[in-house]
Amino acid sequence: MQTQTSKSDKTVIITGGNKGLGYYCAKAIATLDPNSHVIIASRNQKQAALSAKRLIAQTGNKSIEALLLDLASLTSIRTFVKDFAVGKRPPLRAIVCNAGTQVVTGTTYTQDGFETTFGVNHLGHFLLVNLLLQHLVSPARILFVTSGTHFPNDKPNQTLSMPSPDYRNAWLLAFPDLASTQEEEDAYTIGRQRYTTSKLCNILCAYELSHRLQSQGYSNQQHPITVNTFDPGLMPGTGIIRDYDLIKRFAWTFLLPGFRLFAPYVNTTNKSGKDLAKLILDHELAGVTGKYFVGLRQVSSSDESYDRKKAVELWDTSAELVNLTPDETILQSPESILD
């Protein structure tokens, strides 16, 4: 981690910035902060390049680029960070962990053998952020995009009656015991639960990262590195349900958008993208860390998301799973829950 007092220029990395929420976040940042250099990190290099070109035309900000990043590959993540490190860009001030997936038609695996939803939504971002910490220049911000589905499904914060998260340990999430599940019969329910659990993991990870940066002296009032989570609300029309059946995809794309007229939790990707950008740019939030935002409202996340014991287990097991070595991150691990 580095420290710099100038606040003129900044580089912002947005995973999954080629479409949906990430795209509109990139657009808002490039528009509101013309000095910003925006990196769209995506596994679809062709689409990301086209999105960068479109954003340049729409915003007039010519400092937008696309870099290849596949969160389902630990090798790709490490290559992305190496490519970033050798480039000449403004100081890295923000990382937006936005990309995500949801698999509901059966168990699939990443290139490294992890269950896909957990591997991409949590492990990929966990490794990416740890590798980028040494390149961050304070003041800096890290945002994890999560979801109201991380709440138990008996809470009003839940949406669309998603299954409650089921967090037992990180190892089981990475390598599920298929013999103990009725995979073919319950793939839809199991897949959605893996998604809600991954969103809980995003919050546990963010809170733990915020704690470690402060407790280990890398973030303070004078030179903060803040870590927060963002719930964009329900955004019908996005590709997060691309693995669902035709009828559900039709309802998601053509019927649910009408709920925006009377349901405050249903948003457009444009609106939520602007909110996410404000959490990156708003000067009043410069020292706010370890918080959960629904849009621009700071609220409490689920009770389980504040379980430090689970957060430490998730962190330390994740470091083992991705083979995070001491020279790759500035943070010490493991860390006692008493610290």
Side-chain angles (χ1 to χ4, degrees):
M1 185 208 73
Q2 306 168 49
T3 299
Q4 182 168 313
T5 56
S6 172
K7 298 181 180 180
S8 57
D9 294 333
K10 66 167 65 69
T11 292
V12 179
I13 294 175
I14 305 174
T15 68
N18 57 306
K19 58 184 177 180
L21 175 66
Y23 178 89
Y24 285 104
C25 175
K27 181 179 179 180
I29 290 174
T31 301
L32 296 171
D33 187 359
N35 289 323
S36 62
H37 180 89
V38 180
I39 295 178
I40 296 175
S42 171
R43 62 175 179 161
N44 190 330
Q45 198 166 23
K46 181 178 180 180
Q47 185 175 0
L50 290 174
S51 296
K53 185 177 181 180
R54 190 180 306 117
L55 285 168
I56 291 172
Q58 291 175 339
T59 66
N61 185 333
K62 300 184 183 301
S63 191
I64 302 173
E65 66 172 319
L67 287 181
L68 177 64
L69 172 65
D70 184 355
L71 290 168
S73 166
L74 301 182
T75 297
S76 175
I77 296 168
R78 287 184 164 92
T79 299
F80 171 87
V81 175
K82 289 179 181 177
D83 291 343
F84 170 81
V86 298
K88 293 184 179 180
R89 301 177 181 89
L92 177 61
R93 301 276 190 188
I95 307 168
V96 181
C97 299
N98 161 72
T101 191
Q102 184 177 183
V103 181
V104 299
T105 54
T107 301
T108 61
Y109 300 92
T110 68
Q111 293 183 22
D112 304 281
F114 308 128
E115 189 280 317
T116 299
T117 301
F118 180 70
V120 170
N121 294 2
H122 168 66
L123 288 178
H125 281 124
F126 172 84
L127 178 61
L128 176 68
V129 169
N130 270 281
L131 297 180
L132 286 172
L133 285 177
Q134 61 186 302
H135 302 290
L136 272 177
V137 180
S138 65
R141 305 185 192 188
I142 302 171
L143 264 293
F144 286 81
V145 176
T146 183
S147 166
T149 62
H150 87 278
F151 284 92
N153 62 11
D154 61 345
K155 300 295 183 181
N157 313 71
Q158 255 281 21
T159 56
L160 296 184
S161 298
M162 293 284 281
S164 297
D166 181 22
Y167 188 92
R168 283 172 278 177
N169 62 72
W171 194 268
L172 189 58
L173 292 175
F175 308 112
D177 181 5
L178 301 185
S180 67
T181 64
Q182 298 176 340
E183 185 68 22
E184 293 185 4
E185 181 181 348
D186 299 333
Y188 177 65
T189 299
I190 293 170
R192 294 194 304 152
Q193 186 171 65
R194 286 172 178 165
Y195 176 77
T196 62
T197 305
S198 75
K199 295 292 99 178
L200 171 62
C201 289
N202 289 153
I203 303 177
L204 287 168
C205 179
Y207 290 172
E208 184 63 16
L209 175 58
S210 176
H211 171 83
R212 294 189 182 216
L213 286 170
Q214 292 179 88
S215 66
Q216 296 182 24
Y218 293 107
S219 178
N220 54 51
Q221 188 173 3
Q222 291 73 34
H223 304 292
I225 301 177
T226 63
V227 189
N228 293 298
T229 61
F230 174 72
D231 174 3
L234 196 63
M235 297 182 296
T238 62
I240 194 63
I241 71 159
R242 54 184 172 270
D243 200 43
Y244 283 47
D245 62 40
L246 182 61
I247 294 176
K248 293 183 177 67
R249 293 201 307 270
F250 177 85
W252 178 255
T253 304
F254 298 106
L255 301 181
L256 281 177
F259 281 69
R260 297 184 187 123
L261 299 175
F262 54 87
Y265 197 72
V266 180
N267 297 316
T268 64
T269 49
N270 187 15
K271 178 184 181 303
S272 292
K274 290 179 179 178
D275 288 345
L276 181 53
K278 289 178 181 178
L279 294 183
I280 292 293
L281 301 175
D282 191 342
H283 295 298
E284 294 184 1
L285 299 174
V288 177
T289 188
K291 304 300 180 183
Y292 175 71
F293 289 86
V294 176
L296 297 176
R297 293 185 300 112
Q298 180 184 318
V299 301
S300 297
S301 51
S302 70
D303 292 343
E304 188 176 15
S305 69
Y306 296 103
D307 189 328
R308 181 87 202 286
K309 184 176 180 180
K310 288 184 178 180
V312 170
E313 184 276 323
L314 173 65
W315 185 280
D316 292 338
T317 303
S318 297
E320 180 183 355
L321 288 168
V322 303
N323 193 28
L324 183 67
T325 59
D327 63 310
E328 289 183 314
T329 181
I330 63 175
L331 296 174
Q332 299 175 12
S333 185
E335 179 173 299
S336 168
I337 61 173
L338 300 178
D339 292 338

